Amino acid sequence: DSGVTQTPKHLITATGQRVTLRCSPRSGDLSVYWYQQSLDQGLQFLIHYYNGEERAKGNILERFSAQQFPDLHSELNLSSLELGDSALYFCASSQLSRGETQYFGPGTRLLVL
Amino acid sequence: GESVGLHLPTLSVQEGDNSIINCAYSNSASDYFIWYKQESGKGPQFIIDIRSNMDKRQGQRVTVLLNKTVKHLSLQIAATQPGDSAVYFCAENSSGSRLTFGEGTQLTVNP
């Protein structure tokens, strides 16, 4: 158990819908990262928040957004969902920022029908 | 561009043998590398890391070797056990905070 929690574990929804994925980092960690894992793209970095502020953006679609709250938990919002958004979404956390081990949560499996 | 890739997509070994999983990276500016293990239905689990000022680091039954000259990283698992069966990813950190992951190697340990 990494100490990172994610909810829900599974999510099934329809195209065009909007969902919110939630992540709680390890105790004491200030950074939260979001990654998408699909069969054809592998593990891809989406976005990084540090102590409530966005620090880096990766291959994140404009339909996707995230935020980190004062209690350091983070939410990833996915809107206007398409079939191709079906994937595993992982959250990771680290104590500070660059050059540190990132510890991953169990993931949320999203299926868009 | 930046890329981290694995030489072999699958590796099958006998229980008790040593396993070696390889990874090539292309960004010479990469200064931090991590190996993760991912079991089916779970998130990536940290195994071991190494910084670019080192060429070898050992953990419990695992060793990571870094060859910066040829931009190559390897993970050695001693006395491989059935519980080691999983997908193994290397990841590198060179640009800011993001990790760039390789494609993954499926390790199968035969009893």
PDB file of all heavy atoms in Angstrom, chain A residues 42-79:
ATOM      1  N   GLY A  42       0.387   3.677 -23.360  1.00  0.00           N
ATOM      2  CA  GLY A  42       1.195   3.456 -22.170  1.00  0.00           C
ATOM      3  C   GLY A  42       0.855   4.468 -21.091  1.00  0.00           C
ATOM      4  O   GLY A  42      -0.214   5.062 -21.068  1.00  0.00           O
ATOM      5  N   LEU A  43       1.802   4.683 -20.190  1.00  0.00           N
ATOM      6  CA  LEU A  43       1.619   5.630 -19.089  1.00  0.00           C
ATOM      7  C   LEU A  43       2.031   7.026 -19.540  1.00  0.00           C
ATOM      8  O   LEU A  43       3.184   7.265 -19.877  1.00  0.00           O
ATOM      9  CB  LEU A  43       2.472   5.223 -17.893  1.00  0.00           C
ATOM     10  CG  LEU A  43       1.822   4.355 -16.841  1.00  0.00           C
ATOM     11  CD1 LEU A  43       2.865   3.662 -15.993  1.00  0.00           C
ATOM     12  CD2 LEU A  43       0.912   5.206 -15.965  1.00  0.00           C
ATOM     13  N   GLN A  44       1.067   7.950 -19.534  1.00  0.00           N
ATOM     14  CA  GLN A  44       1.321   9.307 -20.014  1.00  0.00           C
ATOM     15  C   GLN A  44       1.044  10.315 -18.903  1.00  0.00           C
ATOM     16  O   GLN A  44      -0.007  10.277 -18.268  1.00  0.00           O
ATOM     17  CB  GLN A  44       0.411   9.615 -21.204  1.00  0.00           C
ATOM     18  CG  GLN A  44       0.622   8.720 -22.411  1.00  0.00           C
ATOM     19  CD  GLN A  44       1.849   9.086 -23.202  1.00  0.00           C
ATOM     20  OE1 GLN A  44       2.160  10.255 -23.376  1.00  0.00           O
ATOM     21  NE2 GLN A  44       2.577   8.079 -23.670  1.00  0.00           N
ATOM     22  N   PHE A  45       1.968  11.228 -18.726  1.00  0.00           N
ATOM     23  CA  PHE A  45       1.823  12.281 -17.737  1.00  0.00           C
ATOM     24  C   PHE A  45       0.757  13.271 -18.186  1.00  0.00           C
ATOM     25  O   PHE A  45       0.727  13.708 -19.342  1.00  0.00           O
ATOM     26  CB  PHE A  45       3.167  12.989 -17.568  1.00  0.00           C
ATOM     27  CG  PHE A  45       3.112  14.267 -16.789  1.00  0.00           C
ATOM     28  CD1 PHE A  45       3.006  14.249 -15.411  1.00  0.00           C
ATOM     29  CD2 PHE A  45       3.177  15.487 -17.436  1.00  0.00           C
ATOM     30  CE1 PHE A  45       2.968  15.422 -14.682  1.00  0.00           C
ATOM     31  CE2 PHE A  45       3.145  16.681 -16.720  1.00  0.00           C
ATOM     32  CZ  PHE A  45       3.037  16.642 -15.344  1.00  0.00           C
ATOM     33  N   LEU A  46      -0.125  13.649 -17.269  1.00  0.00           N
ATOM     34  CA  LEU A  46      -1.169  14.617 -17.588  1.00  0.00           C
ATOM     35  C   LEU A  46      -0.886  15.983 -16.966  1.00  0.00           C
ATOM     36  O   LEU A  46      -0.813  16.992 -17.670  1.00  0.00           O
ATOM     37  CB  LEU A  46      -2.533  14.112 -17.106  1.00  0.00           C
ATOM     38  CG  LEU A  46      -3.081  12.857 -17.783  1.00  0.00           C
ATOM     39  CD1 LEU A  46      -4.409  12.449 -17.157  1.00  0.00           C
ATOM     40  CD2 LEU A  46      -3.236  13.074 -19.279  1.00  0.00           C
ATOM     41  N   ILE A  47      -0.719  16.014 -15.643  1.00  0.00           N
ATOM     42  CA  ILE A  47      -0.592  17.292 -14.967  1.00  0.00           C
ATOM     43  C   ILE A  47      -0.002  17.096 -13.577  1.00  0.00           C
ATOM     44  O   ILE A  47      -0.115  16.018 -12.987  1.00  0.00           O
ATOM     45  CB  ILE A  47      -1.978  17.997 -14.907  1.00  0.00           C
ATOM     46  CG1 ILE A  47      -1.852  19.482 -14.632  1.00  0.00           C
ATOM     47  CG2 ILE A  47      -2.903  17.294 -13.910  1.00  0.00           C
ATOM     48  CD1 ILE A  47      -3.109  20.282 -14.962  1.00  0.00           C
ATOM     49  N   HIS A  48       0.636  18.160 -13.073  1.00  0.00           N
ATOM     50  CA  HIS A  48       1.267  18.146 -11.755  1.00  0.00           C
ATOM     51  C   HIS A  48       0.838  19.377 -10.967  1.00  0.00           C
ATOM     52  O   HIS A  48       0.891  20.497 -11.478  1.00  0.00           O
ATOM     53  CB  HIS A  48       2.792  18.116 -11.919  1.00  0.00           C
ATOM     54  CG  HIS A  48       3.569  18.398 -10.671  1.00  0.00           C
ATOM     55  ND1 HIS A  48       4.777  19.070 -10.677  1.00  0.00           N
ATOM     56  CD2 HIS A  48       3.316  18.087  -9.372  1.00  0.00           C
ATOM     57  CE1 HIS A  48       5.228  19.155  -9.444  1.00  0.00           C
ATOM     58  NE2 HIS A  48       4.371  18.573  -8.629  1.00  0.00           N
ATOM     59  N   TYR A  49       0.429  19.150  -9.726  1.00  0.00           N
ATOM     60  CA  TYR A  49       0.133  20.231  -8.798  1.00  0.00           C
ATOM     61  C   TYR A  49       1.054  20.138  -7.595  1.00  0.00           C
ATOM     62  O   TYR A  49       1.346  19.045  -7.096  1.00  0.00           O
ATOM     63  CB  TYR A  49      -1.322  20.144  -8.321  1.00  0.00           C
ATOM     64  CG  TYR A  49      -2.288  20.796  -9.277  1.00  0.00           C
ATOM     65  CD1 TYR A  49      -2.770  20.088 -10.375  1.00  0.00           C
ATOM     66  CD2 TYR A  49      -2.694  22.109  -9.113  1.00  0.00           C
ATOM     67  CE1 TYR A  49      -3.634  20.685 -11.278  1.00  0.00           C
ATOM     68  CE2 TYR A  49      -3.565  22.718 -10.004  1.00  0.00           C
ATOM     69  CZ  TYR A  49      -4.031  21.991 -11.082  1.00  0.00           C
ATOM     70  OH  TYR A  49      -4.883  22.581 -11.975  1.00  0.00           O
ATOM     71  N   TYR A  50       1.498  21.301  -7.149  1.00  0.00           N
ATOM     72  CA  TYR A  50       2.336  21.367  -5.963  1.00  0.00           C
ATOM     73  C   TYR A  50       1.731  22.387  -5.003  1.00  0.00           C
ATOM     74  O   TYR A  50       1.609  23.571  -5.340  1.00  0.00           O
ATOM     75  CB  TYR A  50       3.781  21.764  -6.327  1.00  0.00           C
ATOM     76  CG  TYR A  50       4.657  22.029  -5.133  1.00  0.00           C
ATOM     77  CD1 TYR A  50       5.166  20.977  -4.387  1.00  0.00           C
ATOM     78  CD2 TYR A  50       4.963  23.332  -4.755  1.00  0.00           C
ATOM     79  CE1 TYR A  50       5.968  21.216  -3.279  1.00  0.00           C
ATOM     80  CE2 TYR A  50       5.762  23.576  -3.658  1.00  0.00           C
ATOM     81  CZ  TYR A  50       6.259  22.516  -2.929  1.00  0.00           C
ATOM     82  OH  TYR A  50       7.059  22.747  -1.837  1.00  0.00           O
ATOM     83  N   ASN A  51       1.331  21.926  -3.851  1.00  0.00           N
ATOM     84  CA  ASN A  51       0.793  22.790  -2.799  1.00  0.00           C
ATOM     85  C   ASN A  51      -0.305  23.719  -3.336  1.00  0.00           C
ATOM     86  O   ASN A  51      -0.326  24.907  -3.017  1.00  0.00           O
ATOM     87  CB  ASN A  51       1.926  23.603  -2.168  1.00  0.00           C
ATOM     88  CG  ASN A  51       1.575  24.063  -0.769  1.00  0.00           C
ATOM     89  OD1 ASN A  51       0.721  23.491  -0.095  1.00  0.00           O
ATOM     90  ND2 ASN A  51       2.238  25.115  -0.320  1.00  0.00           N
ATOM     91  N   GLY A  52      -1.149  23.169  -4.173  1.00  0.00           N
ATOM     92  CA  GLY A  52      -2.298  23.921  -4.663  1.00  0.00           C
ATOM     93  C   GLY A  52      -2.093  24.637  -5.982  1.00  0.00           C
ATOM     94  O   GLY A  52      -3.055  25.146  -6.564  1.00  0.00           O
ATOM     95  N   GLU A  53      -0.855  24.658  -6.460  1.00  0.00           N
ATOM     96  CA  GLU A  53      -0.595  25.385  -7.709  1.00  0.00           C
ATOM     97  C   GLU A  53      -0.205  24.418  -8.828  1.00  0.00           C
ATOM     98  O   GLU A  53       0.561  23.474  -8.610  1.00  0.00           O
ATOM     99  CB  GLU A  53       0.540  26.391  -7.509  1.00  0.00           C
ATOM    100  CG  GLU A  53       0.187  27.514  -6.550  1.00  0.00           C
ATOM    101  CD  GLU A  53       1.292  28.567  -6.492  1.00  0.00           C
ATOM    102  OE1 GLU A  53       2.298  28.411  -7.212  1.00  0.00           O
ATOM    103  OE2 GLU A  53       1.142  29.526  -5.725  1.00  0.00           O
ATOM    104  N   GLU A  54      -0.682  24.706 -10.028  1.00  0.00           N
ATOM    105  CA  GLU A  54      -0.293  23.907 -11.181  1.00  0.00           C
ATOM    106  C   GLU A  54       1.175  24.147 -11.495  1.00  0.00           C
ATOM    107  O   GLU A  54       1.616  25.295 -11.604  1.00  0.00           O
ATOM    108  CB  GLU A  54      -1.153  24.280 -12.385  1.00  0.00           C
ATOM    109  CG  GLU A  54      -0.839  23.481 -13.638  1.00  0.00           C
ATOM    110  CD  GLU A  54      -1.616  23.981 -14.843  1.00  0.00           C
ATOM    111  OE1 GLU A  54      -2.861  24.045 -14.777  1.00  0.00           O
ATOM    112  OE2 GLU A  54      -0.956  24.329 -15.855  1.00  0.00           O
ATOM    113  N   ARG A  55       1.927  23.055 -11.657  1.00  0.00           N
ATOM    114  CA  ARG A  55       3.353  23.185 -11.914  1.00  0.00           C
ATOM    115  C   ARG A  55       3.756  22.738 -13.316  1.00  0.00           C
ATOM    116  O   ARG A  55       4.716  23.250 -13.879  1.00  0.00           O
ATOM    117  CB  ARG A  55       4.150  22.356 -10.909  1.00  0.00           C
ATOM    118  CG  ARG A  55       4.358  23.033  -9.588  1.00  0.00           C
ATOM    119  CD  ARG A  55       5.214  24.273  -9.719  1.00  0.00           C
ATOM    120  NE  ARG A  55       5.444  24.960  -8.467  1.00  0.00           N
ATOM    121  CZ  ARG A  55       6.484  24.727  -7.676  1.00  0.00           C
ATOM    122  NH1 ARG A  55       7.378  23.812  -7.998  1.00  0.00           N
ATOM    123  NH2 ARG A  55       6.626  25.411  -6.559  1.00  0.00           N
ATOM    124  N   ALA A  56       3.069  21.759 -13.844  1.00  0.00           N
ATOM    125  CA  ALA A  56       3.447  21.267 -15.172  1.00  0.00           C
ATOM    126  C   ALA A  56       2.248  20.611 -15.819  1.00  0.00           C
ATOM    127  O   ALA A  56       1.399  20.025 -15.148  1.00  0.00           O
ATOM    128  CB  ALA A  56       4.595  20.275 -15.079  1.00  0.00           C
ATOM    129  N   LYS A  57       2.200  20.752 -17.143  1.00  0.00           N
ATOM    130  CA  LYS A  57       1.143  20.116 -17.921  1.00  0.00           C
ATOM    131  C   LYS A  57       1.759  19.217 -18.964  1.00  0.00           C
ATOM    132  O   LYS A  57       2.748  19.588 -19.604  1.00  0.00           O
ATOM    133  CB  LYS A  57       0.294  21.184 -18.624  1.00  0.00           C
ATOM    134  CG  LYS A  57      -1.009  21.520 -17.954  1.00  0.00           C
ATOM    135  CD  LYS A  57      -1.819  22.471 -18.817  1.00  0.00           C
ATOM    136  CE  LYS A  57      -3.162  22.736 -18.187  1.00  0.00           C
ATOM    137  NZ  LYS A  57      -3.975  23.665 -18.985  1.00  0.00           N
ATOM    138  N   GLY A  58       1.154  18.070 -19.139  1.00  0.00           N
ATOM    139  CA  GLY A  58       1.621  17.151 -20.165  1.00  0.00           C
ATOM    140  C   GLY A  58       0.604  17.049 -21.274  1.00  0.00           C
ATOM    141  O   GLY A  58       0.051  18.053 -21.720  1.00  0.00           O
ATOM    142  N   ASN A  59       0.332  15.837 -21.679  1.00  0.00           N
ATOM    143  CA  ASN A  59      -0.606  15.611 -22.774  1.00  0.00           C
ATOM    144  C   ASN A  59      -2.042  15.606 -22.277  1.00  0.00           C
ATOM    145  O   ASN A  59      -2.782  14.656 -22.503  1.00  0.00           O
ATOM    146  CB  ASN A  59      -0.289  14.278 -23.443  1.00  0.00           C
ATOM    147  CG  ASN A  59       1.122  14.244 -23.977  1.00  0.00           C
ATOM    148  OD1 ASN A  59       1.609  15.232 -24.513  1.00  0.00           O
ATOM    149  ND2 ASN A  59       1.792  13.120 -23.821  1.00  0.00           N
ATOM    150  N   ILE A  60      -2.456  16.675 -21.657  1.00  0.00           N
ATOM    151  CA  ILE A  60      -3.807  16.737 -21.111  1.00  0.00           C
ATOM    152  C   ILE A  60      -4.714  17.481 -22.068  1.00  0.00           C
ATOM    153  O   ILE A  60      -4.396  18.568 -22.548  1.00  0.00           O
ATOM    154  CB  ILE A  60      -3.814  17.383 -19.698  1.00  0.00           C
ATOM    155  CG1 ILE A  60      -5.203  17.284 -19.067  1.00  0.00           C
ATOM    156  CG2 ILE A  60      -3.277  18.807 -19.741  1.00  0.00           C
ATOM    157  CD1 ILE A  60      -5.216  17.584 -17.578  1.00  0.00           C
ATOM    158  N   LEU A  61      -5.845  16.860 -22.385  1.00  0.00           N
ATOM    159  CA  LEU A  61      -6.793  17.448 -23.314  1.00  0.00           C
ATOM    160  C   LEU A  61      -7.475  18.666 -22.676  1.00  0.00           C
ATOM    161  O   LEU A  61      -7.587  18.761 -21.464  1.00  0.00           O
ATOM    162  CB  LEU A  61      -7.856  16.407 -23.697  1.00  0.00           C
ATOM    163  CG  LEU A  61      -7.332  15.136 -24.383  1.00  0.00           C
ATOM    164  CD1 LEU A  61      -8.445  14.108 -24.501  1.00  0.00           C
ATOM    165  CD2 LEU A  61      -6.759  15.462 -25.750  1.00  0.00           C
ATOM    166  N   GLU A  62      -7.966  19.555 -23.528  1.00  0.00           N
ATOM    167  CA  GLU A  62      -8.664  20.739 -23.010  1.00  0.00           C
ATOM    168  C   GLU A  62      -9.957  20.359 -22.303  1.00  0.00           C
ATOM    169  O   GLU A  62     -10.442  21.109 -21.454  1.00  0.00           O
ATOM    170  CB  GLU A  62      -8.953  21.700 -24.161  1.00  0.00           C
ATOM    171  CG  GLU A  62      -7.727  22.458 -24.619  1.00  0.00           C
ATOM    172  CD  GLU A  62      -8.074  23.598 -25.555  1.00  0.00           C
ATOM    173  OE1 GLU A  62      -9.275  23.942 -25.671  1.00  0.00           O
ATOM    174  OE2 GLU A  62      -7.158  24.143 -26.189  1.00  0.00           O
ATOM    175  N   ARG A  63     -10.507  19.205 -22.634  1.00  0.00           N
ATOM    176  CA  ARG A  63     -11.732  18.714 -21.978  1.00  0.00           C
ATOM    177  C   ARG A  63     -11.452  18.234 -20.553  1.00  0.00           C
ATOM    178  O   ARG A  63     -12.372  17.953 -19.798  1.00  0.00           O
ATOM    179  CB  ARG A  63     -12.327  17.548 -22.776  1.00  0.00           C
ATOM    180  CG  ARG A  63     -12.704  17.877 -24.201  1.00  0.00           C
ATOM    181  CD  ARG A  63     -13.344  16.692 -24.887  1.00  0.00           C
ATOM    182  NE  ARG A  63     -12.398  15.656 -25.266  1.00  0.00           N
ATOM    183  CZ  ARG A  63     -12.298  14.472 -24.680  1.00  0.00           C
ATOM    184  NH1 ARG A  63     -13.075  14.166 -23.638  1.00  0.00           N
ATOM    185  NH2 ARG A  63     -11.426  13.573 -25.100  1.00  0.00           N
ATOM    186  N   PHE A  64     -10.186  18.105 -20.229  1.00  0.00           N
ATOM    187  CA  PHE A  64      -9.797  17.628 -18.902  1.00  0.00           C
ATOM    188  C   PHE A  64      -9.267  18.804 -18.084  1.00  0.00           C
ATOM    189  O   PHE A  64      -8.580  19.673 -18.606  1.00  0.00           O
ATOM    190  CB  PHE A  64      -8.705  16.570 -19.003  1.00  0.00           C
ATOM    191  CG  PHE A  64      -9.102  15.293 -19.696  1.00  0.00           C
ATOM    192  CD1 PHE A  64     -10.366  15.104 -20.234  1.00  0.00           C
ATOM    193  CD2 PHE A  64      -8.168  14.258 -19.820  1.00  0.00           C
ATOM    194  CE1 PHE A  64     -10.713  13.920 -20.868  1.00  0.00           C
ATOM    195  CE2 PHE A  64      -8.506  13.069 -20.452  1.00  0.00           C
ATOM    196  CZ  PHE A  64      -9.768  12.903 -20.982  1.00  0.00           C
ATOM    197  N   SER A  65      -9.549  18.787 -16.800  1.00  0.00           N
ATOM    198  CA  SER A  65      -8.995  19.809 -15.915  1.00  0.00           C
ATOM    199  C   SER A  65      -8.761  19.172 -14.555  1.00  0.00           C
ATOM    200  O   SER A  65      -9.297  18.104 -14.245  1.00  0.00           O
ATOM    201  CB  SER A  65      -9.951  20.994 -15.784  1.00  0.00           C
ATOM    202  OG  SER A  65     -11.149  20.589 -15.160  1.00  0.00           O
ATOM    203  N   ALA A  66      -7.944  19.819 -13.777  1.00  0.00           N
ATOM    204  CA  ALA A  66      -7.646  19.305 -12.446  1.00  0.00           C
ATOM    205  C   ALA A  66      -7.483  20.453 -11.480  1.00  0.00           C
ATOM    206  O   ALA A  66      -7.306  21.617 -11.883  1.00  0.00           O
ATOM    207  CB  ALA A  66      -6.376  18.440 -12.479  1.00  0.00           C
ATOM    208  N   GLN A  67      -7.514  20.136 -10.218  1.00  0.00           N
ATOM    209  CA  GLN A  67      -7.204  21.117  -9.192  1.00  0.00           C
ATOM    210  C   GLN A  67      -6.737  20.399  -7.932  1.00  0.00           C
ATOM    211  O   GLN A  67      -7.016  19.209  -7.738  1.00  0.00           O
ATOM    212  CB  GLN A  67      -8.399  22.026  -8.897  1.00  0.00           C
ATOM    213  CG  GLN A  67      -9.681  21.313  -8.526  1.00  0.00           C
ATOM    214  CD  GLN A  67     -10.835  22.310  -8.352  1.00  0.00           C
ATOM    215  OE1 GLN A  67     -10.637  23.435  -7.904  1.00  0.00           O
ATOM    216  NE2 GLN A  67     -12.031  21.888  -8.699  1.00  0.00           N
ATOM    217  N   GLN A  68      -6.008  21.136  -7.119  1.00  0.00           N
ATOM    218  CA  GLN A  68      -5.567  20.613  -5.828  1.00  0.00           C
ATOM    219  C   GLN A  68      -6.103  21.561  -4.760  1.00  0.00           C
ATOM    220  O   GLN A  68      -5.917  22.780  -4.833  1.00  0.00           O
ATOM    221  CB  GLN A  68      -4.041  20.520  -5.745  1.00  0.00           C
ATOM    222  CG  GLN A  68      -3.555  19.849  -4.477  1.00  0.00           C
ATOM    223  CD  GLN A  68      -2.043  19.752  -4.391  1.00  0.00           C
ATOM    224  OE1 GLN A  68      -1.329  20.565  -4.968  1.00  0.00           O
ATOM    225  NE2 GLN A  68      -1.548  18.768  -3.655  1.00  0.00           N
ATOM    226  N   PHE A  69      -6.726  21.003  -3.771  1.00  0.00           N
ATOM    227  CA  PHE A  69      -7.416  21.775  -2.747  1.00  0.00           C
ATOM    228  C   PHE A  69      -6.491  22.070  -1.562  1.00  0.00           C
ATOM    229  O   PHE A  69      -5.421  21.469  -1.435  1.00  0.00           O
ATOM    230  CB  PHE A  69      -8.660  21.006  -2.304  1.00  0.00           C
ATOM    231  CG  PHE A  69      -9.676  20.864  -3.402  1.00  0.00           C
ATOM    232  CD1 PHE A  69      -9.616  19.810  -4.309  1.00  0.00           C
ATOM    233  CD2 PHE A  69     -10.690  21.796  -3.559  1.00  0.00           C
ATOM    234  CE1 PHE A  69     -10.543  19.680  -5.340  1.00  0.00           C
ATOM    235  CE2 PHE A  69     -11.628  21.678  -4.579  1.00  0.00           C
ATOM    236  CZ  PHE A  69     -11.537  20.631  -5.467  1.00  0.00           C
ATOM    237  N   PRO A  70      -6.906  22.997  -0.680  1.00  0.00           N
ATOM    238  CA  PRO A  70      -6.070  23.340   0.479  1.00  0.00           C
ATOM    239  C   PRO A  70      -5.689  22.142   1.349  1.00  0.00           C
ATOM    240  O   PRO A  70      -4.622  22.150   1.966  1.00  0.00           O
ATOM    241  CB  PRO A  70      -6.934  24.346   1.248  1.00  0.00           C
ATOM    242  CG  PRO A  70      -7.747  25.002   0.185  1.00  0.00           C
ATOM    243  CD  PRO A  70      -8.061  23.916  -0.803  1.00  0.00           C
ATOM    244  N   ASP A  71      -6.537  21.115   1.390  1.00  0.00           N
ATOM    245  CA  ASP A  71      -6.153  19.941   2.191  1.00  0.00           C
ATOM    246  C   ASP A  71      -5.268  18.984   1.388  1.00  0.00           C
ATOM    247  O   ASP A  71      -4.952  17.892   1.846  1.00  0.00           O
ATOM    248  CB  ASP A  71      -7.400  19.200   2.703  1.00  0.00           C
ATOM    249  CG  ASP A  71      -8.207  18.575   1.576  1.00  0.00           C
ATOM    250  OD1 ASP A  71      -7.901  18.821   0.386  1.00  0.00           O
ATOM    251  OD2 ASP A  71      -9.150  17.825   1.878  1.00  0.00           O
ATOM    252  N   LEU A  72      -4.870  19.405   0.204  1.00  0.00           N
ATOM    253  CA  LEU A  72      -3.921  18.743  -0.709  1.00  0.00           C
ATOM    254  C   LEU A  72      -4.521  17.592  -1.509  1.00  0.00           C
ATOM    255  O   LEU A  72      -3.810  17.037  -2.364  1.00  0.00           O
ATOM    256  CB  LEU A  72      -2.662  18.269   0.031  1.00  0.00           C
ATOM    257  CG  LEU A  72      -1.887  19.382   0.727  1.00  0.00           C
ATOM    258  CD1 LEU A  72      -0.713  18.807   1.501  1.00  0.00           C
ATOM    259  CD2 LEU A  72      -1.405  20.421  -0.283  1.00  0.00           C
ATOM    260  N   HIS A  73      -5.785  17.261  -1.308  1.00  0.00           N
ATOM    261  CA  HIS A  73      -6.354  16.262  -2.190  1.00  0.00           C
ATOM    262  C   HIS A  73      -6.572  16.903  -3.564  1.00  0.00           C
ATOM    263  O   HIS A  73      -6.616  18.134  -3.693  1.00  0.00           O
ATOM    264  CB  HIS A  73      -7.638  15.647  -1.612  1.00  0.00           C
ATOM    265  CG  HIS A  73      -8.908  16.347  -1.999  1.00  0.00           C
ATOM    266  ND1 HIS A  73      -9.448  17.409  -1.286  1.00  0.00           N
ATOM    267  CD2 HIS A  73      -9.758  16.114  -3.035  1.00  0.00           C
ATOM    268  CE1 HIS A  73     -10.563  17.780  -1.872  1.00  0.00           C
ATOM    269  NE2 HIS A  73     -10.784  17.039  -2.927  1.00  0.00           N
ATOM    270  N   SER A  74      -6.696  16.065  -4.559  1.00  0.00           N
ATOM    271  CA  SER A  74      -6.803  16.570  -5.924  1.00  0.00           C
ATOM    272  C   SER A  74      -7.970  15.894  -6.632  1.00  0.00           C
ATOM    273  O   SER A  74      -8.355  14.769  -6.304  1.00  0.00           O
ATOM    274  CB  SER A  74      -5.507  16.304  -6.691  1.00  0.00           C
ATOM    275  OG  SER A  74      -5.601  16.734  -8.036  1.00  0.00           O
ATOM    276  N   GLU A  75      -8.520  16.599  -7.588  1.00  0.00           N
ATOM    277  CA  GLU A  75      -9.585  16.053  -8.430  1.00  0.00           C
ATOM    278  C   GLU A  75      -9.237  16.273  -9.893  1.00  0.00           C
ATOM    279  O   GLU A  75      -8.698  17.323 -10.253  1.00  0.00           O
ATOM    280  CB  GLU A  75     -10.926  16.715  -8.095  1.00  0.00           C
ATOM    281  CG  GLU A  75     -11.432  16.360  -6.713  1.00  0.00           C
ATOM    282  CD  GLU A  75     -12.772  16.984  -6.390  1.00  0.00           C
ATOM    283  OE1 GLU A  75     -13.294  17.764  -7.206  1.00  0.00           O
ATOM    284  OE2 GLU A  75     -13.294  16.690  -5.304  1.00  0.00           O
ATOM    285  N   LEU A  76      -9.520  15.246 -10.674  1.00  0.00           N
ATOM    286  CA  LEU A  76      -9.339  15.318 -12.119  1.00  0.00           C
ATOM    287  C   LEU A  76     -10.725  15.250 -12.744  1.00  0.00           C
ATOM    288  O   LEU A  76     -11.469  14.294 -12.511  1.00  0.00           O
ATOM    289  CB  LEU A  76      -8.479  14.149 -12.609  1.00  0.00           C
ATOM    290  CG  LEU A  76      -8.215  14.071 -14.122  1.00  0.00           C
ATOM    291  CD1 LEU A  76      -7.362  15.241 -14.585  1.00  0.00           C
ATOM    292  CD2 LEU A  76      -7.543  12.746 -14.483  1.00  0.00           C
ATOM    293  N   ASN A  77     -11.078  16.289 -13.481  1.00  0.00           N
ATOM    294  CA  ASN A  77     -12.394  16.375 -14.106  1.00  0.00           C
ATOM    295  C   ASN A  77     -12.270  16.075 -15.593  1.00  0.00           C
ATOM    296  O   ASN A  77     -11.464  16.697 -16.297  1.00  0.00           O
ATOM    297  CB  ASN A  77     -12.973  17.777 -13.917  1.00  0.00           C
ATOM    298  CG  ASN A  77     -13.120  18.129 -12.454  1.00  0.00           C
ATOM    299  OD1 ASN A  77     -13.876  17.505 -11.729  1.00  0.00           O
ATOM    300  ND2 ASN A  77     -12.374  19.125 -12.002  1.00  0.00           N
ATOM    301  N   LEU A  78     -13.067  15.132 -16.045  1.00  0.00           N
ATOM    302  CA  LEU A  78     -13.063  14.737 -17.454  1.00  0.00           C
ATOM    303  C   LEU A  78     -14.452  15.023 -18.009  1.00  0.00           C
ATOM    304  O   LEU A  78     -15.446  14.514 -17.488  1.00  0.00           O
ATOM    305  CB  LEU A  78     -12.747  13.247 -17.596  1.00  0.00           C
ATOM    306  CG  LEU A  78     -11.571  12.705 -16.763  1.00  0.00           C
ATOM    307  CD1 LEU A  78     -11.437  11.200 -16.966  1.00  0.00           C
ATOM    308  CD2 LEU A  78     -10.276  13.404 -17.116  1.00  0.00           C
ATOM    309  N   SER A  79     -14.525  15.855 -19.048  1.00  0.00           N
ATOM    310  CA  SER A  79     -15.835  16.237 -19.583  1.00  0.00           C
ATOM    311  C   SER A  79     -15.950  15.862 -21.058  1.00  0.00           C
ATOM    312  O   SER A  79     -14.958  15.531 -21.713  1.00  0.00           O
ATOM    313  CB  SER A  79     -16.070  17.722 -19.389  1.00  0.00           C
ATOM    314  OG  SER A  79     -15.088  18.470 -20.084  1.00  0.00           O
TER     315      SER A  79
END
